[in-house]
């Protein structure tokens, strides 16, 4: 499959996806994605079902839909593969038709609440609506643990959590991160680790945040694999464009307003945020100094990728 992907790439396409869902005797459905530089093995458990009619068309259509929404190619393929796998698993017991292949149910997203269906999925831009970032100094001030902070954030409506614990020692941070993963998983809330890719790998977090002075996104992707979420901080159009080319999943842009939680952090204001949003197709989260008094001004920008 690796050889086939490279040979197909030599024929002209910029990206190649070799499907492996029908490989006989395989416990996993392994697709091979090649972008001209790196091979990505995209593996999910093989779903045993006769209801596989239309999987290829659905995969292609879902990739096209994600690209239309502005997703880079690799995340678009990941979302599509996960959607097909979820749909196959959701409808594997359906009995329709008399042929060797039955159709599978595309409406799992509409029906999953009725059937109590919840599986871990790749990043949905709606996950970025209310973004909670922990702060060790504030936790100490309020006399609470990092686990308590995460629980409070989820109870308050947070849709994604980032652990930013600059002062924690590695052993303590790892144990806390594992505990926070146990808090987030039942709710389906993605948990990201700030800067510490080693911690993210050790606790199987959903992804990482990297700044401009941290490990490059491409290097982080090589370590984490194609399934994990990577956020990158961007203040300029050039940084936003690079994030898109490096297959980041989304951008954190700011500080929008001055803040006491991060020293020596130049603000970019609403105009700077607008420039970053217009420079990239990736979803963007506005960060820094945003509260009840000024959140409306940020949302009034009305940019489609400002989540």
């Amino acid at each position: 499959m690796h050889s086939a992907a490279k040979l197909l790439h030599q024929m002209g396409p910029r990206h190649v996806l070799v499907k492996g869902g029908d490989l006989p005797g395989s416990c996993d459905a392994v697709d091979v994605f090649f972008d001209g530089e790196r091979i990505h093995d995209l593996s999910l458990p093989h779903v045993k079902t006769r209801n596989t009619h239309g999987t290829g068309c659905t995969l292609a259509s879902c990739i096209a839909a994600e690209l239309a929404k502005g997703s880079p190619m690799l995340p678009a393929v990941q979302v599509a593969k996960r959607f097909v796998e979820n749909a196959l698993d959701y409808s594997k017991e359906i009995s329709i038709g008399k042929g060797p292949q039955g159709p599978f149910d595309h409406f799992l997203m509409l029906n999953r609440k009725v059937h109590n269906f919840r599986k871990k999925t790749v990043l949905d831009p709606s996950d970025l609506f209310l973004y909670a970032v922990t702060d060790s100094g504030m936790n100490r001030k309020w006399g609470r643990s990092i686990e308590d902070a995460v629980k409070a954030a989820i109870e308050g409506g947070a849709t994604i959590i980032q652990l930013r614990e600059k002062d924690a020692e590695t052993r303590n941070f790892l144990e806390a991160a594992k505990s926070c993963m146990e808090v987030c998983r039942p709710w389906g809330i993605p948990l990201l680790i700030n800067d510490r890719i080693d911690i993210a790998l050790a606790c199987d977090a959903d992804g990482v945040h990297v700044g401009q002075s941290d490990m490059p996104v491409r290097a982080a992707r090589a370590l984490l694999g194609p399934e994990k979420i990577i956020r990158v901080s961007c203040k300029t159009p050039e940084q936003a464009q690079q994030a898109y080319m490096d297959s980041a999943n989304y951008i954190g842009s700011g500080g929008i307003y001055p803040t006491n939680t991060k020293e020596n952090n130049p603000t970019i204001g609403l105009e700077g945020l607008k420039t970053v949003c217009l420079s990239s197709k990736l979803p963007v989260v506005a960060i820094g100094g945003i509260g009840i008094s000024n959140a409306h001004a940020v949302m009034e920008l009305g940019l489609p990728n400002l989540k």
Side-chain angles (χ1 to χ4, degrees):
M1 292 174 72
H2 287 193
S3 298
K6 292 177 180 178
L7 288 169
L8 286 167
H9 186 269
Q10 292 173 11
M11 297 173 69
R14 289 169 54 196
H15 305 94
V16 175
L17 181 67
V18 180
K19 298 193 301 168
D22 293 322
L23 288 175
S26 175
C27 294
D28 294 319
V30 183
D31 297 344
V32 171
F33 176 81
F34 183 52
D35 60 8
E37 295 183 10
R38 292 191 58 233
I39 288 279
H40 300 270
D41 290 331
L42 309 179
S43 180
L44 287 173
H46 190 275
V47 180
K48 293 183 179 180
T49 176
R50 65 179 287 273
N51 299 321
T52 58
H53 185 71
T55 51
C57 296
T58 301
L59 180 73
S61 299
C62 191
I63 292 172
E66 290 299 310
L67 293 175
K69 291 190 291 185
S71 174
M73 183 62 76
L74 178 57
V77 172
Q78 291 173 292
V79 169
K81 180 173 174 63
R82 181 75 70 176
F83 176 81
V84 170
E85 189 259 350
N86 283 351
L88 283 169
D89 186 64
Y90 173 76
S91 53
K92 62 187 176 184
E93 304 297 338
I94 291 176
S95 180
I96 299 177
K98 299 185 186 228
Q101 283 183 299
F104 67 109
D105 189 349
H106 295 76
F107 295 102
L108 78 157
M109 300 300 287
L110 297 176
N111 296 331
R112 65 180 179 175
K113 288 185 180 179
V114 177
H115 295 275
N116 195 28
F117 178 86
R118 178 179 289 274
K119 294 192 70 170
K120 182 184 175 183
T121 60
V122 293
L123 181 77
D124 184 323
S126 64
D127 292 338
L128 305 175
F129 179 70
L130 187 57
Y131 198 119
V133 183
T134 64
D135 182 274
S136 52
M138 296 176 82
N139 286 337
R140 282 196 300 272
K141 176 181 176 181
W142 293 331
R144 67 182 185 185
S145 67
I146 186 173
E147 294 90 345
D148 291 336
V150 170
K151 289 176 183 176
I154 294 174
E155 290 169 357
T159 53
I160 189 168
I161 307 286
Q162 179 182 318
L163 300 188
R164 181 179 180 271
E165 298 296 309
K166 295 289 188 179
D167 302 328
E169 295 185 0
T170 297
R171 183 186 296 274
N172 295 337
F173 191 13
L174 176 57
E175 292 305 312
K178 289 179 178 178
S179 297
C180 291
M181 285 297 298
E182 293 178 1
V183 173
C184 290
R185 280 272 160 85
W187 293 91
I189 302 294
L191 181 77
L192 274 62
I193 307 296
N194 188 81
D195 297 342
R196 297 291 302 270
I197 293 178
D198 57 331
I199 298 292
L201 286 168
C203 73
D204 193 26
D206 296 298
V208 298
H209 158 77
V210 293
Q212 290 296 322
S213 60
D214 297 322
M215 181 181 293
V217 171
R218 281 186 172 268
R221 178 66 70 198
L223 288 170
L224 293 168
E227 291 290 326
K228 298 298 184 180
I229 300 167
I230 297 180
R231 164 190 148 170
V232 59
S233 293
C234 298
K235 291 180 179 288
T236 68
E238 293 77 18
Q239 292 171 352
Q241 291 163 6
Q242 190 64 47
Y244 178 78
M245 290 188 290
D246 288 347
S247 293
N249 294 94
Y250 68 105
I251 288 169
S253 189
I256 310 304
Y257 304 108
T259 173
N260 294 326
T261 59
K262 192 170 185 180
E263 297 178 358
N264 303 317
N265 183 33
T267 58
I268 63 172
L270 295 177
E271 282 303 311
L273 173 63
K274 182 177 180 180
T275 303
V276 167
C277 289
L278 294 175
S279 301
S280 181
K281 296 180 180 179
L282 293 176
V284 177
V285 174
I287 57 175
I290 299 172
I292 293 174
S293 64
N294 54 28
H296 186 66
V298 179
M299 291 186 281
E300 274 191 323
L301 290 176
L303 299 163
N305 60 334
L306 180 61
K307 302 302 179 181

